[in-house]
Amino acid sequence: MKLLVAVKRVVDYNVRIRVKNDGSDVELANVKMGMNPFCEIAVEEGVRLREAGVASELVVVTFGPEAAAEQLRHALALGADRALHYVTDETLTPLTVARALQKVCEQEQPSLVLLGKQSIDSDNNQVGQMLSALCDWPLATFASAVRLVEGELQVTREIDGGLETLGMALPAVVTVDLRLNEPRFASLPNIMKAKRKPIESAPFAALGVEPAGQTRLLGVMAPAPRRAGVRVGSVDELLDRLKNEAKVIP
């Protein structure tokens, strides 16, 4: 079967985020970018499924600027077979991304779509759910284990009461969580091999999806600096401050 994994270019998770002076957005100039960590987990799971003989091909796709080809090369170095790059400089809403992925699914006919549960920049956690609804495919979110048993996809996910295992027919959409796996490091030989793997590039408009502007960014504000702690001399003083200054206890 064929696997499709969507990846997103985001600010590297090790970078301290800075807001522009005018508060219009996050500062991206001269900032290290990387693959969304949840997307990297999805790529790793796709590679493992292919290595186990469950899948025959792993395709990665992204919608983003020319520079996003760097993240596709990284996915190819991790073990993906080929990549699709639909180039756009616009900031796409989750619904637009889901509609674009629906078009890609119509073209590629994957048996399983793996997505990160959310991106660390917008934190929307919406694309997987929207794609499932658009394609009318079964959905499992926050996956911590994925396996194929006698042609049925079984996905284990963490819930408040413990673990829940869902069984579903293919094709399906699965969004992955941190506990699913630990992504491998791309070795130098695989990085060199990735340079020869194909990346098919086309303008985003080629998908025939009109970017929907249901929301717009009004501004970004950095969180207020955390105040320094205060050392108290006794439990009675602590209780007094909590009651009369912080007012967190009656």
Side-chain angles (χ1 to χ4, degrees):
M1 70 178 186
K2 180 188 291 187
L3 304 179
L4 179 69
V5 180
V7 300
K8 185 178 182 181
R9 175 182 172 87
V10 298
V11 176
D12 187 273
Y13 67 92
N14 288 312
V15 173
R16 183 172 181 177
I17 301 299
R18 293 181 293 112
V19 177
K20 290 182 177 179
N21 292 332
D22 60 1
S24 61
D25 205 341
V26 171
E27 183 60 69
L28 298 179
N30 301 314
V31 172
K32 181 182 179 183
M33 307 293 285
M35 184 188 298
N36 179 51
F38 293 103
C39 296
E40 193 169 10
I41 292 170
V43 173
E44 173 66 24
E45 191 64 20
V47 173
R48 293 187 184 190
L49 290 172
R50 200 200 56 191
E51 290 175 342
V54 174
S56 57
E57 186 180 23
L58 172 59
V59 182
V60 291
V61 61
T62 195
F63 313 110
E66 292 284 355
E70 177 185 356
Q71 280 64 56
L72 291 178
R73 288 293 177 197
H74 178 60
L76 293 172
L78 292 176
D81 297 300
R82 59 188 177 92
L84 308 174
H85 187 186
Y86 292 93
V87 182
T88 177
D89 290 322
E90 292 191 50
T91 299
L92 304 178
T93 63
L95 182 56
T96 300
V97 173
R99 286 173 173 165
L101 281 174
Q102 181 190 20
K103 294 292 185 181
V104 175
C105 288
E106 291 173 358
Q107 296 170 7
E108 294 291 327
Q109 294 294 306
S111 298
L112 176 61
V113 180
L114 293 170
L115 307 169
K117 69 171 185 177
Q118 65 195 74
S119 60
I120 61 173
D121 53 358
S122 57
D123 277 336
N124 285 315
N125 178 26
Q126 295 176 343
V127 172
Q129 292 86 330
M130 290 177 172
L131 176 63
S132 169
L134 290 170
C135 294
D136 194 23
W137 289 356
L139 168 72
T141 58
F142 314 131
S144 59
V146 177
R147 54 194 172 275
L148 195 66
V149 180
E150 298 179 352
E152 180 185 64
L153 186 70
Q154 294 187 359
V155 179
T156 301
R157 54 196 302 270
E158 294 185 358
I159 59 175
D160 289 342
L163 297 177
E164 175 185 71
T165 300
L166 304 175
M168 61 195 69
L170 297 174
V173 178
V174 174
T175 71
V176 306
D177 209 343
L178 286 172
R179 292 174 178 82
L180 180 59
N181 61 52
E182 184 175 345
R184 68 193 69 188
F185 289 101
S187 64
L188 182 57
N190 286 338
I191 292 174
M192 300 306 294
K193 290 178 184 177
K195 294 181 179 180
R196 298 190 295 271
K197 292 182 179 180
I199 294 182
E200 301 172 30
S201 181
F204 183 80
L207 290 170
V209 176
E210 190 68 28
Q214 300 98 332
T215 60
R216 59 192 178 92
L217 180 64
L218 299 179
V220 178
M221 181 184 300
R226 186 174 180 178
R227 293 188 299 176
V230 177
R231 185 183 295 274
V232 296
S234 66
V235 173
D236 291 338
E237 184 182 354
L238 172 62
L239 293 174
D240 180 69
R241 285 178 176 269
L242 290 175
K243 181 178 181 179
N244 299 313
E245 292 184 18
K247 299 186 185 301
V248 295
I249 60 175

